[in-house]
PDB file of all heavy atoms in Angstrom:
ATOM      1  N   TRP A  33      18.415  58.100 -83.971  1.00  0.00           N
ATOM      2  CA  TRP A  33      19.385  58.331 -82.965  1.00  0.00           C
ATOM      3  C   TRP A  33      19.868  59.771 -82.906  1.00  0.00           C
ATOM      4  O   TRP A  33      20.077  60.427 -81.885  1.00  0.00           O
ATOM      5  CB  TRP A  33      20.583  57.307 -83.141  1.00  0.00           C
ATOM      6  CG  TRP A  33      21.654  57.491 -82.108  1.00  0.00           C
ATOM      7  CD1 TRP A  33      21.536  56.741 -80.891  1.00  0.00           C
ATOM      8  CD2 TRP A  33      22.843  58.163 -82.068  1.00  0.00           C
ATOM      9  NE1 TRP A  33      22.712  57.119 -80.141  1.00  0.00           N
ATOM     10  CE2 TRP A  33      23.564  58.033 -80.909  1.00  0.00           C
ATOM     11  CE3 TRP A  33      23.399  59.172 -83.015  1.00  0.00           C
ATOM     12  CZ2 TRP A  33      24.669  58.518 -80.523  1.00  0.00           C
ATOM     13  CZ3 TRP A  33      24.665  59.760 -82.592  1.00  0.00           C
ATOM     14  CH2 TRP A  33      25.266  59.437 -81.434  1.00  0.00           C
ATOM     15  N   ARG A  34      20.010  60.333 -84.076  1.00  0.00           N
ATOM     16  CA  ARG A  34      20.531  61.731 -84.269  1.00  0.00           C
ATOM     17  C   ARG A  34      19.484  62.696 -83.900  1.00  0.00           C
ATOM     18  O   ARG A  34      19.728  63.934 -83.869  1.00  0.00           O
ATOM     19  CB  ARG A  34      21.051  61.937 -85.672  1.00  0.00           C
ATOM     20  CG  ARG A  34      22.397  61.145 -85.995  1.00  0.00           C
ATOM     21  CD  ARG A  34      22.763  61.392 -87.353  1.00  0.00           C
ATOM     22  NE  ARG A  34      23.139  62.703 -87.652  1.00  0.00           N
ATOM     23  CZ  ARG A  34      23.235  63.359 -88.782  1.00  0.00           C
ATOM     24  NH1 ARG A  34      22.893  62.648 -89.905  1.00  0.00           N
ATOM     25  NH2 ARG A  34      23.522  64.591 -88.864  1.00  0.00           N
ATOM     26  N   MET A  76      22.390  55.802 -88.818  1.00  0.00           N
ATOM     27  CA  MET A  76      22.733  57.165 -89.057  1.00  0.00           C
ATOM     28  C   MET A  76      22.086  57.874 -90.263  1.00  0.00           C
ATOM     29  O   MET A  76      22.413  59.016 -90.502  1.00  0.00           O
ATOM     30  CB  MET A  76      24.335  57.247 -89.268  1.00  0.00           C
ATOM     31  CG  MET A  76      25.191  56.929 -88.032  1.00  0.00           C
ATOM     32  SD  MET A  76      25.381  58.474 -87.091  1.00  0.00           S
ATOM     33  CE  MET A  76      26.213  57.840 -85.690  1.00  0.00           C
ATOM     34  N   LEU A 135      31.748  48.189 -83.581  1.00  0.00           N
ATOM     35  CA  LEU A 135      31.488  49.632 -83.796  1.00  0.00           C
ATOM     36  C   LEU A 135      30.978  50.249 -82.406  1.00  0.00           C
ATOM     37  O   LEU A 135      30.574  49.466 -81.480  1.00  0.00           O
ATOM     38  CB  LEU A 135      30.470  49.913 -84.927  1.00  0.00           C
ATOM     39  CG  LEU A 135      29.278  48.978 -85.070  1.00  0.00           C
ATOM     40  CD1 LEU A 135      27.970  49.847 -85.141  1.00  0.00           C
ATOM     41  CD2 LEU A 135      29.306  48.172 -86.329  1.00  0.00           C
ATOM     42  N   ALA A 136      30.982  51.685 -82.350  1.00  0.00           N
ATOM     43  CA  ALA A 136      30.727  52.178 -80.977  1.00  0.00           C
ATOM     44  C   ALA A 136      29.337  51.924 -80.560  1.00  0.00           C
ATOM     45  O   ALA A 136      29.074  51.981 -79.422  1.00  0.00           O
ATOM     46  CB  ALA A 136      31.078  53.720 -81.278  1.00  0.00           C
ATOM     47  N   ALA A 137      28.398  51.706 -81.519  1.00  0.00           N
ATOM     48  CA  ALA A 137      27.042  51.390 -81.062  1.00  0.00           C
ATOM     49  C   ALA A 137      26.864  49.915 -80.761  1.00  0.00           C
ATOM     50  O   ALA A 137      25.635  49.543 -80.582  1.00  0.00           O
ATOM     51  CB  ALA A 137      26.124  51.803 -82.152  1.00  0.00           C
ATOM     52  N   GLY A 153      32.614  49.649 -89.473  1.00  0.00           N
ATOM     53  CA  GLY A 153      33.121  49.744 -88.061  1.00  0.00           C
ATOM     54  C   GLY A 153      34.594  49.702 -88.200  1.00  0.00           C
ATOM     55  O   GLY A 153      35.299  50.052 -89.101  1.00  0.00           O
ATOM     56  N   THR A 154      35.310  49.253 -87.033  1.00  0.00           N
ATOM     57  CA  THR A 154      36.664  49.478 -86.909  1.00  0.00           C
ATOM     58  C   THR A 154      37.588  48.234 -87.191  1.00  0.00           C
ATOM     59  O   THR A 154      38.720  48.417 -87.125  1.00  0.00           O
ATOM     60  CB  THR A 154      36.957  49.947 -85.383  1.00  0.00           C
ATOM     61  OG1 THR A 154      36.351  48.842 -84.554  1.00  0.00           O
ATOM     62  CG2 THR A 154      36.389  51.202 -85.176  1.00  0.00           C
ATOM     63  N   GLU A 254      42.674  53.921 -87.598  1.00  0.00           N
ATOM     64  CA  GLU A 254      41.772  54.941 -87.492  1.00  0.00           C
ATOM     65  C   GLU A 254      42.466  56.305 -87.487  1.00  0.00           C
ATOM     66  O   GLU A 254      43.626  56.452 -86.964  1.00  0.00           O
ATOM     67  CB  GLU A 254      40.948  54.868 -86.254  1.00  0.00           C
ATOM     68  CG  GLU A 254      40.088  53.481 -86.181  1.00  0.00           C
ATOM     69  CD  GLU A 254      38.758  53.437 -86.936  1.00  0.00           C
ATOM     70  OE1 GLU A 254      37.965  54.378 -86.793  1.00  0.00           O
ATOM     71  OE2 GLU A 254      38.701  52.548 -87.734  1.00  0.00           O
ATOM     72  N   ARG A 332      38.245  57.422 -79.103  1.00  0.00           N
ATOM     73  CA  ARG A 332      37.784  57.206 -80.452  1.00  0.00           C
ATOM     74  C   ARG A 332      36.268  56.979 -80.528  1.00  0.00           C
ATOM     75  O   ARG A 332      35.507  57.612 -81.370  1.00  0.00           O
ATOM     76  CB  ARG A 332      38.551  56.130 -81.103  1.00  0.00           C
ATOM     77  CG  ARG A 332      37.963  55.616 -82.450  1.00  0.00           C
ATOM     78  CD  ARG A 332      37.787  56.582 -83.550  1.00  0.00           C
ATOM     79  NE  ARG A 332      37.183  56.051 -84.741  1.00  0.00           N
ATOM     80  CZ  ARG A 332      35.814  56.076 -84.902  1.00  0.00           C
ATOM     81  NH1 ARG A 332      35.045  56.656 -84.089  1.00  0.00           N
ATOM     82  NH2 ARG A 332      35.333  55.576 -85.983  1.00  0.00           N
ATOM     83  N   GLU A 333      35.776  56.163 -79.635  1.00  0.00           N
ATOM     84  CA  GLU A 333      34.365  55.741 -79.641  1.00  0.00           C
ATOM     85  C   GLU A 333      33.465  56.767 -79.283  1.00  0.00           C
ATOM     86  O   GLU A 333      32.180  56.716 -79.458  1.00  0.00           O
ATOM     87  CB  GLU A 333      34.152  54.357 -78.787  1.00  0.00           C
ATOM     88  CG  GLU A 333      34.710  53.184 -79.423  1.00  0.00           C
ATOM     89  CD  GLU A 333      34.944  52.013 -78.446  1.00  0.00           C
ATOM     90  OE1 GLU A 333      34.680  52.264 -77.361  1.00  0.00           O
ATOM     91  OE2 GLU A 333      35.443  51.045 -78.985  1.00  0.00           O
ATOM     92  N   HIS A 334      33.916  57.883 -78.527  1.00  0.00           N
ATOM     93  CA  HIS A 334      32.987  58.929 -78.111  1.00  0.00           C
ATOM     94  C   HIS A 334      32.976  60.130 -79.054  1.00  0.00           C
ATOM     95  O   HIS A 334      32.223  61.177 -78.725  1.00  0.00           O
ATOM     96  CB  HIS A 334      33.413  59.402 -76.662  1.00  0.00           C
ATOM     97  CG  HIS A 334      32.960  58.481 -75.712  1.00  0.00           C
ATOM     98  ND1 HIS A 334      33.426  57.166 -75.366  1.00  0.00           N
ATOM     99  CD2 HIS A 334      31.785  58.467 -74.904  1.00  0.00           C
ATOM    100  CE1 HIS A 334      32.757  56.462 -74.451  1.00  0.00           C
ATOM    101  NE2 HIS A 334      31.737  57.283 -74.097  1.00  0.00           N
ATOM    102  N   LEU A 335      33.687  60.053 -80.064  1.00  0.00           N
ATOM    103  CA  LEU A 335      33.665  61.201 -81.060  1.00  0.00           C
ATOM    104  C   LEU A 335      32.365  61.508 -81.598  1.00  0.00           C
ATOM    105  O   LEU A 335      31.836  62.709 -81.694  1.00  0.00           O
ATOM    106  CB  LEU A 335      34.673  61.005 -82.300  1.00  0.00           C
ATOM    107  CG  LEU A 335      36.079  60.720 -81.857  1.00  0.00           C
ATOM    108  CD1 LEU A 335      36.917  60.419 -83.078  1.00  0.00           C
ATOM    109  CD2 LEU A 335      36.673  62.137 -81.279  1.00  0.00           C
ATOM    110  N   SER A 336      31.596  60.446 -81.918  1.00  0.00           N
ATOM    111  CA  SER A 336      30.258  60.746 -82.608  1.00  0.00           C
ATOM    112  C   SER A 336      29.289  61.320 -81.594  1.00  0.00           C
ATOM    113  O   SER A 336      28.553  62.285 -81.961  1.00  0.00           O
ATOM    114  CB  SER A 336      29.693  59.251 -82.895  1.00  0.00           C
ATOM    115  OG  SER A 336      28.820  59.355 -83.811  1.00  0.00           O
ATOM    116  N   GLU A 337      29.282  60.875 -80.476  1.00  0.00           N
ATOM    117  CA  GLU A 337      28.455  61.320 -79.394  1.00  0.00           C
ATOM    118  C   GLU A 337      28.799  62.755 -79.023  1.00  0.00           C
ATOM    119  O   GLU A 337      27.882  63.658 -78.826  1.00  0.00           O
ATOM    120  CB  GLU A 337      28.543  60.444 -78.134  1.00  0.00           C
ATOM    121  CG  GLU A 337      27.171  60.453 -77.346  1.00  0.00           C
ATOM    122  CD  GLU A 337      27.307  59.471 -76.155  1.00  0.00           C
ATOM    123  OE1 GLU A 337      27.872  58.412 -76.377  1.00  0.00           O
ATOM    124  OE2 GLU A 337      26.687  59.752 -75.115  1.00  0.00           O
ATOM    125  N   GLN A 339      30.119  65.017 -80.988  1.00  0.00           N
ATOM    126  CA  GLN A 339      29.649  65.866 -82.075  1.00  0.00           C
ATOM    127  C   GLN A 339      28.151  66.001 -81.981  1.00  0.00           C
ATOM    128  O   GLN A 339      27.645  67.096 -82.181  1.00  0.00           O
ATOM    129  CB  GLN A 339      30.137  65.345 -83.401  1.00  0.00           C
ATOM    130  CG  GLN A 339      31.609  65.348 -83.543  1.00  0.00           C
ATOM    131  CD  GLN A 339      31.988  65.100 -84.973  1.00  0.00           C
ATOM    132  OE1 GLN A 339      31.370  64.754 -85.920  1.00  0.00           O
ATOM    133  NE2 GLN A 339      33.384  65.201 -85.137  1.00  0.00           N
ATOM    134  N   ALA A 340      27.457  64.995 -81.592  1.00  0.00           N
ATOM    135  CA  ALA A 340      25.959  65.090 -81.365  1.00  0.00           C
ATOM    136  C   ALA A 340      25.546  66.071 -80.278  1.00  0.00           C
ATOM    137  O   ALA A 340      24.738  66.891 -80.428  1.00  0.00           O
ATOM    138  CB  ALA A 340      25.307  63.711 -81.131  1.00  0.00           C
ATOM    139  N   HIS A 345      25.352  69.495 -86.911  1.00  0.00           N
ATOM    140  CA  HIS A 345      26.516  69.519 -87.735  1.00  0.00           C
ATOM    141  C   HIS A 345      26.136  68.790 -89.032  1.00  0.00           C
ATOM    142  O   HIS A 345      25.160  68.039 -89.093  1.00  0.00           O
ATOM    143  CB  HIS A 345      27.698  69.038 -87.005  1.00  0.00           C
ATOM    144  CG  HIS A 345      27.534  67.532 -86.597  1.00  0.00           C
ATOM    145  ND1 HIS A 345      26.903  67.252 -85.504  1.00  0.00           N
ATOM    146  CD2 HIS A 345      28.022  66.363 -87.131  1.00  0.00           C
ATOM    147  CE1 HIS A 345      26.901  65.868 -85.245  1.00  0.00           C
ATOM    148  NE2 HIS A 345      27.475  65.279 -86.220  1.00  0.00           N
ATOM    149  N   LYS A 347      26.961  65.946 -91.611  1.00  0.00           N
ATOM    150  CA  LYS A 347      27.719  64.624 -91.572  1.00  0.00           C
ATOM    151  C   LYS A 347      27.974  64.179 -92.961  1.00  0.00           C
ATOM    152  O   LYS A 347      27.157  64.354 -93.889  1.00  0.00           O
ATOM    153  CB  LYS A 347      26.894  63.621 -90.922  1.00  0.00           C
ATOM    154  CG  LYS A 347      27.091  63.480 -89.463  1.00  0.00           C
ATOM    155  CD  LYS A 347      26.494  62.060 -89.004  1.00  0.00           C
ATOM    156  CE  LYS A 347      26.435  61.985 -87.510  1.00  0.00           C
ATOM    157  NZ  LYS A 347      27.768  62.058 -86.848  1.00  0.00           N
ATOM    158  N   HIS A 348      29.077  63.563 -93.211  1.00  0.00           N
ATOM    159  CA  HIS A 348      29.398  62.801 -94.450  1.00  0.00           C
ATOM    160  C   HIS A 348      30.114  61.460 -94.108  1.00  0.00           C
ATOM    161  O   HIS A 348      30.924  61.487 -93.173  1.00  0.00           O
ATOM    162  CB  HIS A 348      30.332  63.754 -95.414  1.00  0.00           C
ATOM    163  CG  HIS A 348      29.743  65.058 -95.687  1.00  0.00           C
ATOM    164  ND1 HIS A 348      30.108  66.161 -94.969  1.00  0.00           N
ATOM    165  CD2 HIS A 348      28.773  65.455 -96.523  1.00  0.00           C
ATOM    166  CE1 HIS A 348      29.505  67.205 -95.403  1.00  0.00           C
ATOM    167  NE2 HIS A 348      28.601  66.763 -96.332  1.00  0.00           N
ATOM    168  N   ASP A 349      29.766  60.527 -94.892  1.00  0.00           N
ATOM    169  CA  ASP A 349      30.330  59.199 -94.714  1.00  0.00           C
ATOM    170  C   ASP A 349      30.937  58.672 -96.013  1.00  0.00           C
ATOM    171  O   ASP A 349      30.335  57.966 -96.705  1.00  0.00           O
ATOM    172  CB  ASP A 349      29.097  58.279 -94.190  1.00  0.00           C
ATOM    173  CG  ASP A 349      29.486  56.810 -94.129  1.00  0.00           C
ATOM    174  OD1 ASP A 349      30.640  56.474 -93.979  1.00  0.00           O
ATOM    175  OD2 ASP A 349      28.619  56.013 -94.442  1.00  0.00           O
ATOM    176  N   PHE A 380      36.894  62.316 -88.941  1.00  0.00           N
ATOM    177  CA  PHE A 380      37.626  61.182 -88.412  1.00  0.00           C
ATOM    178  C   PHE A 380      37.176  60.023 -89.098  1.00  0.00           C
ATOM    179  O   PHE A 380      36.276  59.971 -89.970  1.00  0.00           O
ATOM    180  CB  PHE A 380      37.261  61.098 -86.777  1.00  0.00           C
ATOM    181  CG  PHE A 380      35.785  60.848 -86.475  1.00  0.00           C
ATOM    182  CD1 PHE A 380      35.342  59.612 -86.399  1.00  0.00           C
ATOM    183  CD2 PHE A 380      35.030  61.934 -86.383  1.00  0.00           C
ATOM    184  CE1 PHE A 380      33.866  59.307 -86.112  1.00  0.00           C
ATOM    185  CE2 PHE A 380      33.570  61.790 -86.207  1.00  0.00           C
ATOM    186  CZ  PHE A 380      33.090  60.459 -86.011  1.00  0.00           C
ATOM    187  N   GLY A 381      37.692  58.736 -88.763  1.00  0.00           N
ATOM    188  CA  GLY A 381      37.159  57.564 -89.253  1.00  0.00           C
ATOM    189  C   GLY A 381      38.154  56.523 -89.657  1.00  0.00           C
ATOM    190  O   GLY A 381      39.303  56.515 -89.040  1.00  0.00           O
ATOM    191  N   HIS A 382      37.835  55.722 -90.597  1.00  0.00           N
ATOM    192  CA  HIS A 382      38.463  54.379 -90.795  1.00  0.00           C
ATOM    193  C   HIS A 382      39.428  54.564 -91.996  1.00  0.00           C
ATOM    194  O   HIS A 382      39.128  54.021 -93.123  1.00  0.00           O
ATOM    195  CB  HIS A 382      37.350  53.358 -91.064  1.00  0.00           C
ATOM    196  CG  HIS A 382      36.149  53.546 -90.277  1.00  0.00           C
ATOM    197  ND1 HIS A 382      36.189  53.216 -88.916  1.00  0.00           N
ATOM    198  CD2 HIS A 382      34.908  53.920 -90.416  1.00  0.00           C
ATOM    199  CE1 HIS A 382      34.975  53.481 -88.324  1.00  0.00           C
ATOM    200  NE2 HIS A 382      34.256  53.969 -89.304  1.00  0.00           N
ATOM    201  N   ASN A 387      37.704  55.180 -95.662  1.00  0.00           N
ATOM    202  CA  ASN A 387      36.325  55.760 -95.241  1.00  0.00           C
ATOM    203  C   ASN A 387      36.381  56.845 -94.119  1.00  0.00           C
ATOM    204  O   ASN A 387      37.027  56.506 -93.051  1.00  0.00           O
ATOM    205  CB  ASN A 387      35.453  54.628 -94.768  1.00  0.00           C
ATOM    206  CG  ASN A 387      34.249  54.924 -94.054  1.00  0.00           C
ATOM    207  OD1 ASN A 387      33.653  54.120 -93.245  1.00  0.00           O
ATOM    208  ND2 ASN A 387      33.675  56.150 -94.203  1.00  0.00           N
ATOM    209  N   HIS A 389      34.426  59.970 -91.881  1.00  0.00           N
ATOM    210  CA  HIS A 389      33.408  60.697 -91.578  1.00  0.00           C
ATOM    211  C   HIS A 389      33.754  62.170 -91.622  1.00  0.00           C
ATOM    212  O   HIS A 389      34.259  62.754 -90.606  1.00  0.00           O
ATOM    213  CB  HIS A 389      32.860  60.216 -90.127  1.00  0.00           C
ATOM    214  CG  HIS A 389      32.568  58.801 -90.207  1.00  0.00           C
ATOM    215  ND1 HIS A 389      31.694  58.248 -90.974  1.00  0.00           N
ATOM    216  CD2 HIS A 389      33.110  57.826 -89.431  1.00  0.00           C
ATOM    217  CE1 HIS A 389      31.631  56.969 -90.810  1.00  0.00           C
ATOM    218  NE2 HIS A 389      32.590  56.617 -89.896  1.00  0.00           N
ATOM    219  N   PHE A 390      33.586  62.729 -92.756  1.00  0.00           N
ATOM    220  CA  PHE A 390      34.088  64.040 -93.096  1.00  0.00           C
ATOM    221  C   PHE A 390      32.990  65.146 -92.571  1.00  0.00           C
ATOM    222  O   PHE A 390      32.349  65.759 -93.295  1.00  0.00           O
ATOM    223  CB  PHE A 390      34.325  64.248 -94.499  1.00  0.00           C
ATOM    224  CG  PHE A 390      35.203  65.424 -94.805  1.00  0.00           C
ATOM    225  CD1 PHE A 390      36.662  65.210 -94.719  1.00  0.00           C
ATOM    226  CD2 PHE A 390      34.778  66.624 -95.115  1.00  0.00           C
ATOM    227  CE1 PHE A 390      37.546  66.242 -94.885  1.00  0.00           C
ATOM    228  CE2 PHE A 390      35.641  67.734 -95.277  1.00  0.00           C
ATOM    229  CZ  PHE A 390      37.079  67.405 -95.218  1.00  0.00           C
ATOM    230  N   ASN A 391      32.967  65.160 -91.278  1.00  0.00           N
ATOM    231  CA  ASN A 391      31.829  65.968 -90.601  1.00  0.00           C
ATOM    232  C   ASN A 391      32.289  67.465 -90.499  1.00  0.00           C
ATOM    233  O   ASN A 391      33.438  67.713 -90.268  1.00  0.00           O
ATOM    234  CB  ASN A 391      31.537  65.519 -89.235  1.00  0.00           C
ATOM    235  CG  ASN A 391      31.047  64.019 -89.343  1.00  0.00           C
ATOM    236  OD1 ASN A 391      30.529  63.621 -90.432  1.00  0.00           O
ATOM    237  ND2 ASN A 391      30.981  63.302 -88.204  1.00  0.00           N
ATOM    238  N   GLU A 428      29.466  53.399 -95.259  1.00  0.00           N
ATOM    239  CA  GLU A 428      29.014  52.394 -94.211  1.00  0.00           C
ATOM    240  C   GLU A 428      27.623  52.571 -93.600  1.00  0.00           C
ATOM    241  O   GLU A 428      27.079  51.680 -92.928  1.00  0.00           O
ATOM    242  CB  GLU A 428      30.100  52.027 -93.244  1.00  0.00           C
ATOM    243  CG  GLU A 428      30.442  53.325 -92.382  1.00  0.00           C
ATOM    244  CD  GLU A 428      31.331  53.030 -91.221  1.00  0.00           C
ATOM    245  OE1 GLU A 428      31.910  51.915 -91.087  1.00  0.00           O
ATOM    246  OE2 GLU A 428      31.568  53.997 -90.393  1.00  0.00           O
ATOM    247  N   HIS A 429      27.171  53.826 -93.735  1.00  0.00           N
ATOM    248  CA  HIS A 429      25.860  54.098 -92.997  1.00  0.00           C
ATOM    249  C   HIS A 429      24.699  53.885 -93.841  1.00  0.00           C
ATOM    250  O   HIS A 429      23.543  53.928 -93.369  1.00  0.00           O
ATOM    251  CB  HIS A 429      25.816  55.589 -92.490  1.00  0.00           C
ATOM    252  CG  HIS A 429      26.909  55.826 -91.449  1.00  0.00           C
ATOM    253  ND1 HIS A 429      27.267  57.102 -91.052  1.00  0.00           N
ATOM    254  CD2 HIS A 429      27.660  55.082 -90.673  1.00  0.00           C
ATOM    255  CE1 HIS A 429      28.267  57.041 -90.161  1.00  0.00           C
ATOM    256  NE2 HIS A 429      28.504  55.778 -89.856  1.00  0.00           N
TER     257      HIS A 429
HETATM  258  C1  2HG B 502      31.956  55.976 -86.336  1.00  0.00           C
HETATM  259  O1  2HG B 502      32.832  55.559 -87.095  1.00  0.00           O
HETATM  260  C2  2HG B 502      30.584  55.972 -86.882  1.00  0.00           C
HETATM  261  O2  2HG B 502      32.186  56.335 -85.135  1.00  0.00           O
HETATM  262  C3  2HG B 502      29.850  57.267 -86.647  1.00  0.00           C
HETATM  263  O3  2HG B 502      30.423  55.493 -88.194  1.00  0.00           O
HETATM  264  C4  2HG B 502      30.360  58.346 -87.595  1.00  0.00           C
HETATM  265  O4  2HG B 502      29.228  60.018 -86.304  1.00  0.00           O
HETATM  266  C5  2HG B 502      29.743  59.764 -87.293  1.00  0.00           C
HETATM  267  O5  2HG B 502      29.716  60.488 -88.228  1.00  0.00           O
END
Side-chain angles (χ1 to χ4, degrees):
W33 184 86
R34 293 178 61 198
M76 288 273 173
L135 42 127
T154 51
E254 303 277 309
R332 161 65 184 90
E333 285 163 0
H334 282 76
L335 295 176
S336 200
E337 210 174 324
Q339 294 191 355
H345 59 280
K347 272 193 189 300
H348 303 101
D349 168 35
F380 62 94
H382 321 286
N387 170 201
H389 301 301
F390 200 84
N391 298 342
E428 60 171 7
H429 294 164

